[in-house]
Amino acid sequence: LIILYSLWDLIYTPPVYYMFLDMWGGISKTDFWLTFSSIFLHSLLCSSVFYVTNNIFNKRIAFIAVLLVFSSPLLLEYSIRLRMYSSVALLSLWAFYLSHYWFNTKKKHQTKILFLINLLLANVHAVGILFVFSHFLYGVIKGIQTKQINRLYYWIGVFFGVFILTLPSMA
């Protein structure tokens, strides 16, 4: 029964966050240290929000965005608990930024990183695949708006690869 439960838990729960937590816990297994991983990820999220919004908009909007993310009741609550939501938000933010950058420049050198981040996002938490799907839709809409049909086909191919590699977690 324990073996069946462990197999079900492995299939039902995407493993990336727990692999991260296992590596993080290699330093110490204390409650404070394990909880500090969420605080660390939330801090990375806040600094990433500043970087992304500063690159897309300006410093004023970046400060407002960081203030909103830092004081968000849900993210703040889960940043002081041992939860994976800060990692989901962090990966989703970078997936959005790379998606935005991918369609607004002529270069496609971030394709491998975009693929990897979306694959990690899909396997961090069960809700991660919904974020990946929203990034896919963003790219489809952006590709149609900019009339970049070749990039759109390439975009669909990248996300089809993410979908295929995510099937075991979705099962």
Side-chain angles (χ1 to χ4, degrees):
L1 188 61
I2 292 172
I3 293 172
L4 288 175
Y5 178 74
S6 298
L7 287 174
W8 173 255
D9 191 43
L10 180 63
I11 292 169
Y12 180 70
T13 308
V16 171
Y17 177 74
Y18 297 107
M19 289 176 8
F20 164 75
L21 202 57
D22 190 42
M23 288 186 299
W24 184 272
I27 296 172
S28 173
K29 298 267 189 221
T30 63
D31 287 341
F32 172 75
W33 182 250
L34 292 175
T35 304
F36 187 71
S37 69
S38 294
I39 295 168
F40 174 73
L41 289 171
H42 188 70
S43 301
L44 276 178
L45 175 64
C46 290
S47 59
S48 294
V49 164
F50 181 81
Y51 178 81
V52 167
T53 52
N54 188 36
N55 281 347
I56 295 175
F57 301 107
N58 58 35
K59 281 190 191 287
R60 183 180 304 166
I61 293 174
F63 281 122
I64 292 169
V66 168
L67 182 65
L68 288 173
V69 168
F70 184 73
S71 64
S72 168
L74 186 62
L75 283 175
L76 194 57
E77 174 71 23
Y78 286 134
S79 71
I80 57 174
R81 294 178 185 250
L82 190 56
R83 302 298 293 173
M84 73 259 327
Y85 299 112
S86 293
S87 62
V88 170
L90 180 66
L91 288 171
S92 183
L93 173 71
W94 282 105
F96 163 75
Y97 180 65
L98 290 172
S99 301
H100 177 77
Y101 190 77
W102 200 79
F103 274 102
N104 290 320
T105 63
K106 298 290 183 202
K107 299 176 187 172
K108 288 190 289 189
H109 66 274
Q110 302 90 356
T111 305
K112 292 176 186 170
I113 298 170
L114 178 69
F115 176 79
L116 181 64
I117 286 180
N118 277 294
L119 186 62
L120 287 173
L121 179 59
N123 288 294
V124 153
H125 189 271
V127 75
I129 194 67
L130 297 174
F131 285 98
V132 171
F133 184 68
S134 69
H135 297 304
F136 169 73
L137 287 180
Y138 171 79
V140 168
I141 292 168
K142 197 74 167 159
I144 291 170
Q145 283 178 344
T146 58
K147 296 181 173 105
Q148 298 175 356
I149 301 303
N150 289 338
R151 277 197 180 212
L152 183 59
Y153 290 142
Y154 198 68
W155 181 262
I156 291 169
V158 166
F159 277 86
F160 183 73
V162 170
F163 173 73
I164 293 298
L165 292 175
T166 306
L167 281 176
S169 293
M170 290 190 304

